[in-house]
Amino acid sequence: QSTWGAVGSSMRFLRHAQSLLCLSKRPLWRGSLSYSTVQPHTIESLLSKTKEALKTPEQPQAKQVSRSVCDLFGSLNSQDKSKFLKMFATELNVDIQEVDEATKRFQHVLQTSPSSSLNVQQMTLQAAHNLRAVSTPAYHEFFSAIQTNHVDGGKFTLDMRSHLQEVIKEAKAGRDTSINAGDLWRLQMLDNDLRDILASWISIGSMELRSISWEHTGGEMLEKIQKYEKVHAIKSWLQLKQRLTPKERRRCYAFFHPSIPEEPLIFIYVALCDHIPTGIDEILHEEYQSNQQNERNVAVFYSISSTQTGLQGVELGSFLIKHVVERLRSELPNINCFTTLSPIPGFMSWFKLQLSQHHHHHYQQQQQQQQ
């Protein structure tokens, strides 16, 4: 037992040392400057320059200004990030007056000219194009610029949406009184747009499916897998090892994106069994793992976790399961059954309510019969 304790301590030390070495790999937008006391006019001035620069996104100025926005946002404290996001959703939004003028021009073209003329059709399409351009918020061009020009642009977008969702949550709960109804509406529109931007950025064709294993995966990555587990908490390295070994009985797969290769976006645990388990204890119990000797022809998906709150609303789970099924079929052709063993959120509350209503109804019937 003392030998295993020494081995365990050595493993923990090595993994901790590895994680400390990775602290130097800071994202581009987390600079050394501190803006914890930034003034609103500083943010407004920078966002105004950004909007102007994004009108010609191919110019170096657009790249430089967008980088400055990333650096500023990453250095703010939580309170100032809330102010920043409120101003960001306003300053880089559409110009209502420009939309109104473009709409009138489009309607004018439709109403004053016969549609059969080729020249008029071209004018109509041009007017429609102009209307679409002014109806698209400038922050669309901003996110396109940072994802194109900055290595960490995708991760920045994920983190920004994560902060945005927290700001919206606080405002809805009434805990942030600085955000009025109009601000909240614009923030929600920004959140919806960011969801769509991230959905297009997270193209399934560009995702990389990796196997996570105890033997071949680095310590820093294993720490992330342990930390991000949301379904069945992992309380120790020994429990994590039991989830990942041996390969003949336990598998874990994760989706990665090329722009953030060291950050799993979503991962899933798979147990290889000789029958469909009746409960999760059969999967997690150590004795069951070590005693099962029969042919394993059943793959059980028993835990799936998304790691990025910024990807909320972006469907990845079903795609991950489909890719893992294909991988398992290729590597283990003897598997002929794929099933899930996942908790149903809210089921117990719903069941108790149904049971209570049933008992109440039954009691009322008895009372009526006695009368």
Side-chain angles (χ1 to χ4, degrees):
Q1 182 176 359
S2 60
T3 301
W4 280 109
V7 172
S9 298
S10 299
M11 288 293 293
R12 285 193 295 272
F13 173 76
L14 289 173
R15 298 192 193 285
H16 181 61
Q18 184 178 11
S19 64
L20 289 176
L21 288 173
C22 294
L23 289 177
S24 60
K25 299 178 181 179
R26 299 166 62 90
L28 290 176
W29 61 91
R30 295 179 185 173
S32 59
L33 297 178
S34 174
Y35 293 93
S36 57
T37 56
V38 67
Q39 297 299 317
H41 65 80
T42 302
I43 300 176
E44 185 176 4
S45 174
L46 179 57
L47 292 179
S48 178
K49 293 178 181 178
T50 302
K51 188 172 184 178
E52 186 64 29
L54 290 174
K55 292 180 179 179
T56 53
E58 69 282 356
Q59 297 298 321
Q61 179 68 13
K63 180 179 179 179
Q64 295 169 1
V65 173
S66 61
R67 171 66 178 272
S68 298
V69 172
C70 293
D71 288 338
L72 173 60
F73 182 78
S75 302
L76 297 175
N77 59 32
S78 297
Q79 184 177 1
D80 283 338
K81 280 181 178 177
S82 177
K83 296 177 184 177
F84 177 95
L85 288 169
K86 183 171 69 172
M87 299 178 70
F88 183 91
T90 301
E91 295 297 323
L92 297 187
N93 215 314
V94 298
D95 187 315
I96 300 299
Q97 183 177 350
E98 289 183 355
V99 174
D100 181 55
E101 293 174 355
T103 302
K104 290 178 180 178
R105 286 195 296 270
F106 179 66
Q107 292 175 335
H108 177 73
V109 172
L110 290 178
Q111 295 171 357
T112 59
S113 304
S115 58
S116 58
S117 169
L118 177 61
N119 184 48
V120 171
Q121 290 180 5
Q122 293 175 341
M123 291 173 58
T124 303
L125 290 175
Q126 183 62 51
H129 175 80
N130 294 339
L131 176 58
R132 182 181 63 181
V134 298
S135 300
T136 302
Y139 54 67
H140 277 255
E141 196 63 54
F142 168 78
F143 290 113
S144 176
I146 63 170
Q147 289 179 12
T148 302
N149 299 320
H150 302 304
V151 175
D152 289 324
K155 179 58 176 170
F156 171 82
T157 307
L158 282 172
D159 290 344
M160 188 176 191
R161 188 180 181 221
S162 179
H163 288 295
L164 174 63
Q165 290 176 325
E166 188 63 30
V167 170
I168 292 174
K169 179 181 177 181
E170 292 293 304
K172 285 184 174 180
R175 291 188 289 268
D176 188 345
T177 56
S178 67
I179 296 178
N180 58 38
D183 295 330
L184 180 59
W185 182 84
R186 282 186 287 271
L187 290 171
Q188 289 174 318
M189 291 302 99
L190 172 59
D191 181 56
N192 291 338
D193 284 344
L194 274 176
R195 179 198 60 210
D196 295 339
I197 290 170
L198 287 167
S200 62
W201 172 67
I202 301 291
S203 168
I204 297 301
S206 65
M207 300 291 275
E208 178 188 356
L209 180 66
R210 295 187 205 168
S211 175
I212 306 296
S213 68
W214 182 261
E215 294 84 1
H216 302 108
T217 302
E220 183 187 10
M221 185 61 65
L222 291 179
E223 284 187 354
K224 291 180 179 180
I225 294 295
Q226 180 179 2
K227 180 182 71 172
Y228 287 139
E229 170 61 28
K230 296 179 180 178
V231 184
H232 305 292
I234 301 174
K235 299 179 181 179
S236 67
W237 282 105
L238 179 59
Q239 286 187 358
L240 178 61
K241 182 178 180 181
Q242 291 171 355
R243 301 277 180 95
L244 300 175
T245 57
K247 188 177 181 181
E248 293 75 20
R249 293 197 291 268
R250 296 290 177 265
R251 302 288 180 95
C252 180
Y253 297 93
F255 261 158
F256 291 81
H257 193 273
S259 66
I260 43 176
E262 300 305 320
E263 193 71 26
L265 301 183
I266 187 171
F267 60 90
I268 191 168
Y269 285 103
V270 187
L272 305 179
C273 310
D274 64 349
H275 69 285
I276 299 178
T278 58
I280 191 62
D281 287 343
E282 292 188 39
I283 299 293
L284 301 181
H285 201 275
E286 182 178 2
E287 292 182 2
Y288 173 81
Q289 295 182 21
S290 59
N291 290 339
Q292 191 186 52
Q293 300 297 330
N294 299 331
E295 181 183 13
R296 298 168 187 88
N297 58 359
V298 178
V300 183
F301 301 98
Y302 66 92
S303 176
I304 186 168
S305 299
S306 176
T307 68
Q308 307 294 318
T309 57
L311 286 177
Q312 182 179 349
V314 179
E315 178 54 49
L316 288 177
S318 61
F319 291 107
L320 175 61
I321 291 175
K322 290 175 182 177
H323 278 67
V324 172
V325 167
E326 292 177 2
R327 173 75 65 87
L328 290 173
R329 278 178 171 164
S330 173
E331 296 179 356
L332 304 169
N334 61 302
I335 294 182
N336 54 31
C337 179
F338 296 88
T339 184
T340 61
L341 191 67
S342 304
I344 305 176
F347 175 77
M348 185 57 68
S349 300
W350 174 86
F351 180 76
K352 289 181 178 179
L353 177 62
Q354 299 301 313
L355 192 62
S356 174
Q357 291 176 346
H358 174 75
H359 286 321
H360 180 69
H361 180 68
H362 183 65
Y363 174 76
Q364 287 182 328
Q365 285 183 331
Q366 288 183 328
Q367 293 295 316
Q368 291 175 358
Q369 291 174 356
Q370 292 176 0
Q371 293 176 357

